[in-house]
Amino acid sequence: MEGPNDSSVSERESSMATKRQDQITRKAPSIVFSTTTRQINENGEKTTRVVPTTTLLPTSGIQEVSVMELKLQPEVQDDCDICLETLSSLELEYSFCGSDCPLKACKECIAKHFKDTISSGYDGILRKMTCPACVKRSVPVSLWGPVCSSNQTTLYSRRAAILLTLQCSGCHERKTILPDEDENQVLPTDGMPKAVKEELLMEFERFNDGKINDQELYERISTYFFSFENLPNPWLVMQPILQKIRDEGFRAELYLRYLRHYPKVSTICCEAEQCFRCRTEDWHDGMTCEEMRKELEAEQLSDDVLNCPECDIQLVSPPSYLLS
């Protein structure tokens, strides 16, 4: 049985334990960090905000805390290669487009570089998104997209689609024939030797990362697929390759290079077969683009050019709106 003073003793012991824990907590070492945030205001001026943050070290199992010395490494400073401003290394991007990239720049300068690149383009032309340091290397949207706004990435995708626009002969509307990305698409590598298949897949990923350009990849594809004579339908090979390309701009560039050699296309909306090169209403089966052009010119001349019944001089027929 408990004595009359047992409860008061327990309360005193509990109070003393709580007080000891409070003393340990007050004596526990803490680290004060400062977080520096750099922003650009509406006037284009750079502002710096320093926010101190106090972090307590864990006190679990500490019976008595003495003086603890923490040696923190000093903050490393470095210069941005573009604006030349001295900043903390935490605010700089290193090797932006790859491990061999020499770029060392702040995020604001990198974002401005890609924003200016997009702004300098227009519908009908797609600027290559090159690295500020590696000017011959294209940077995929997966790298530059996070430092830019969604409006800029949307504009980039729209201009890539415009490069492949064609007026459909079925619905008579101007639409793109650029296929969408399909990550579940499988590359047509069945029957290939293992070494050749691995080499092709490696080159394909290098293109997705911007390490090789569309001409280099197309040469590989031509060697593996299009070197065979009488290939029944090259598009069955090219379509899954295009749909495995993540960057819309990269996909459009490779598709345009393919169309230089195989201009026959099928519109996405109506599946109308047309020629992308000479833009005829239907595909000119059995005729080259040059032969088709001459035939169209001859038809146009027969309709618009008349012979004078008196002197047999050729006269150009006036437009119909002048005759009404």
Side-chain angles (χ1 to χ4, degrees):
M1 295 180 62
E2 294 183 356
N5 297 326
D6 288 346
S7 59
S8 59
V9 172
S10 299
E11 291 177 358
R12 285 198 302 272
E13 290 178 350
S14 176
S15 176
M16 292 176 63
T18 302
K19 185 179 295 185
R20 284 197 300 270
Q21 184 63 37
D22 291 341
Q23 291 174 351
I24 290 175
T25 303
R26 285 196 298 269
K27 293 180 180 180
S30 62
I31 307 175
V32 179
F33 295 95
S34 61
T35 304
T36 304
T37 304
R38 294 181 183 272
Q39 298 176 337
I40 299 179
N41 59 22
E42 297 178 353
N43 299 324
E45 301 173 345
K46 291 186 177 181
T47 59
T48 303
R49 181 186 177 193
V50 180
V51 181
T53 303
T54 303
T55 302
L56 290 176
L57 294 179
T59 59
S60 175
I62 298 179
Q63 300 297 327
E64 183 177 354
V65 178
S66 58
V67 178
M68 178 182 290
E69 295 182 358
L70 294 175
K71 295 182 179 180
L72 300 179
Q73 294 183 354
E75 186 181 34
V76 178
Q77 301 286 324
D78 214 339
D79 295 337
C80 171
D81 291 341
I82 300 177
C83 66
L84 304 181
E85 185 176 351
T86 302
L87 303 170
S88 166
S89 59
L90 300 177
E91 300 177 79
L92 297 173
E93 291 282 350
Y94 294 86
S95 303
F96 184 75
C97 67
S99 58
D100 57 342
C101 175
L103 181 66
K104 176 178 84 273
C106 61
K107 294 180 180 179
E108 290 85 354
C109 287
I110 294 176
K112 185 178 185 302
H113 166 76
F114 288 107
K115 180 180 178 181
D116 292 345
T117 302
I118 296 175
S119 301
S120 64
Y122 50 87
D123 291 353
I125 185 171
L126 185 68
R127 299 290 187 190
K128 286 186 177 293
M129 307 298 285
T130 57
C131 173
C134 309
V135 294
K136 293 185 178 181
R137 178 180 296 176
S138 296
V139 181
V141 68
S142 59
L143 291 181
W144 64 263
V147 301
C148 295
S149 67
S150 58
N151 292 335
Q152 291 161 353
T153 55
T154 301
L155 179 59
Y156 174 79
S157 300
R158 186 175 69 85
R159 286 180 175 166
I162 289 176
L163 293 179
L164 276 300
T165 53
L166 183 71
Q167 183 163 337
C168 175
S169 61
C171 60
H172 302 287
E173 293 186 8
R174 194 168 185 83
K175 298 179 180 179
T176 185
I177 59 172
L178 181 66
D180 294 329
E181 178 192 3
D182 183 3
E183 60 182 10
N184 297 321
Q185 189 64 262
V186 179
L187 294 178
T189 56
D190 293 341
M192 281 188 176
K194 183 178 179 181
V196 175
K197 180 179 179 179
E198 291 177 352
E199 182 182 358
L200 177 62
L201 293 176
M202 182 176 62
E203 292 296 302
F204 186 80
E205 285 304 316
R206 291 185 66 203
F207 176 73
N208 261 328
D209 295 337
K211 302 295 179 61
I212 60 175
N213 57 34
D214 57 291
Q215 180 179 354
E216 293 172 309
L217 180 62
Y218 188 80
E219 289 176 355
R220 270 67 161 186
I221 295 173
S222 300
T223 302
Y224 296 132
F225 299 108
F226 301 150
S227 58
F228 303 103
E229 295 182 0
N230 301 321
L231 188 66
N233 191 351
W235 177 242
L236 295 179
V237 174
M238 197 63 190
Q239 182 180 13
I241 293 177
L242 291 173
Q243 290 185 305
K244 288 289 287 184
I245 298 175
R246 297 183 290 268
D247 189 291
E248 291 92 338
F250 291 4
R251 196 183 316 140
E253 290 173 352
L254 184 62
Y255 195 4
L256 286 172
R257 187 166 294 277
Y258 162 83
L259 290 174
R260 295 178 188 176
H261 304 275
Y262 301 95
K264 182 179 180 179
V265 298
S266 178
T267 59
I268 298 176
C269 51
C270 302
E271 297 184 353
E273 293 185 346
Q274 297 177 235
C275 179
F276 187 81
R277 183 185 298 159
C278 58
R279 307 301 175 99
T280 54
E281 182 178 359
D282 299 308
W283 170 247
H284 44 78
D285 194 16
M287 300 177 62
T288 64
C289 292
E290 182 64 21
E291 292 171 344
M292 187 63 183
R293 184 184 63 81
K294 290 181 179 180
E295 183 175 302
L296 291 175
E297 288 179 353
E299 292 178 359
Q300 185 177 7
L301 286 175
S302 63
D303 294 336
D304 298 339
V305 179
L306 302 175
N307 290 334
C308 175
E310 297 293 334
C311 60
D312 204 33
I313 294 178
Q314 288 186 336
L315 302 174
V316 178
S317 175
S320 58
Y321 65 86
L322 294 179
L323 300 176
S324 59

